[in-house]
Structures are given as C-alpha cells and as structure tokens.
Amino acid sequence: MLDNMPRGTICIEDLEIGMSRHLRKEVTDRDIELFAEVSTDRNPVHLDDDYARDTIFEGRIAHGMLTAGLISAVIGEQLPGHGTVYLGQSLKFLAPVRPGDTVLAEVTVTAIDHARRRVTLETRCLVGNTTVLKGEALVLAPSRKFD
C-alpha cells in the first residue's frame, strides 16, 4: 500500500475544508479470498473464473465492500485518522474492480461541525481514470480536548 501521508491522527481542530488523503493498493487474488473468508461472502463471481466468465462482468471481480474497505483505511489511518468513529457512509458502485487492479482510495473534507465533532467526507475509489466507487462519509473526529 502506498499512502500520501503518514498514518496517525489529525484532530478536528486542525482539519480544513478541502484537506485530502489517499492510498493506493493492488487488489490481489489473496485479498479477495481472505475477504470471502472473513465476510463469508463466497459468491462465485468473486472466486470462480468459469462461473464469472458467464456473468455481465465477463470475469471475476473483487467484492464491492473490499474496495469500500480501502476508504475505511484512509479514514481510520490518515484523515482524520486514529480515534475516528464512523457514523455513516453512502456508497455507489460504478464499475468493477478486478484482481490485479490498483485502486486509489481518496477522502476529502467537505464540511466540519466543530461543536458536534462531526466531519463530512467525500469518498471515492478509482482504477486508472475510472471512478469505481463514490460516496460520502460522516465521522466523529478526535479532538485534543478529549485526549
């Protein structure tokens, strides 16, 4: 995985509208197999080449929530980072992610409610120039006042 910033915490007092962080990760066959095991989602479109060839995707694809998990990694590790609590996430899956694809997961601050420690984040994942997932997250950000 390649991050654009060190992992850690950015407290709400230091967040700014437009602040952004990302990571890149190649999705491997092993990632898909491990996600299937952990989630118990063993849909053959993710695991069986012969089955997946006959679907609208014409080949195996990664679980959508595996891709969405990369957004969680950016939020939990970089922006805002350690101590962040997820309150909600909307997701729209726009294109498949295939084994061997490198996914860029990006998170950008779009709104800050300092009084309630709420931060709204635009979230998206890309493979090359193709947006494969987009959405919005609402999180409870860490604060120096409570540390």
Side-chain angles (χ1 to χ4, degrees):
M1 254 188 292
L2 301 173
D3 300 347
N4 69 325
M5 295 296 287
R7 293 176 178 229
T9 304
I10 303 172
C11 291
I12 193 164
E13 295 86 358
D14 300 320
L15 291 175
E16 299 175 7
I17 303 293
M19 190 176 278
S20 183
R21 297 292 184 270
H22 70 263
L23 67 77
R24 280 187 178 76
K25 181 180 185 339
E26 180 181 348
V27 175
T28 66
D29 286 325
R30 183 169 187 273
D31 294 328
I32 294 169
E33 291 163 8
L34 288 171
F35 190 88
E37 185 176 332
V38 169
S39 69
T40 71
D41 178 354
R42 302 201 54 81
N43 184 331
V45 75
H46 307 303
L47 302 169
D48 183 325
D49 286 315
D50 292 332
Y51 176 91
R53 262 193 297 277
D54 292 331
T55 69
I56 61 169
F57 301 110
E58 300 177 340
R60 285 189 314 116
I61 61 171
H63 301 76
M65 295 309 289
L66 184 145
T67 304
L70 299 177
I71 291 170
S72 178
V74 177
I75 291 171
E77 293 285 338
Q78 296 184 54
L79 183 65
H82 299 171
T84 301
V85 176
Y86 245 118
L87 299 175
Q89 173 79 57
S90 67
L91 297 169
K92 185 168 184 175
F93 299 95
L94 302 171
V97 172
R98 300 184 183 279
D101 283 349
T102 297
V103 176
L104 171 69
E106 296 180 324
V107 172
T108 303
V109 176
T110 59
I112 304 168
D113 179 347
H114 289 276
R116 298 179 62 214
R117 291 179 43 212
R118 305 301 200 259
V119 179
T120 304
L121 303 160
E122 176 186 342
T123 60
R124 71 180 187 152
C125 291
L126 297 96
V127 173
N129 293 323
T130 301
T131 301
V132 297
L133 180 159
K134 68 179 181 178
E136 183 178 86
L138 179 65
V139 301
L140 179 65
S143 170
R144 282 193 293 277
K145 294 177 186 175
F146 298 100
D147 292 342

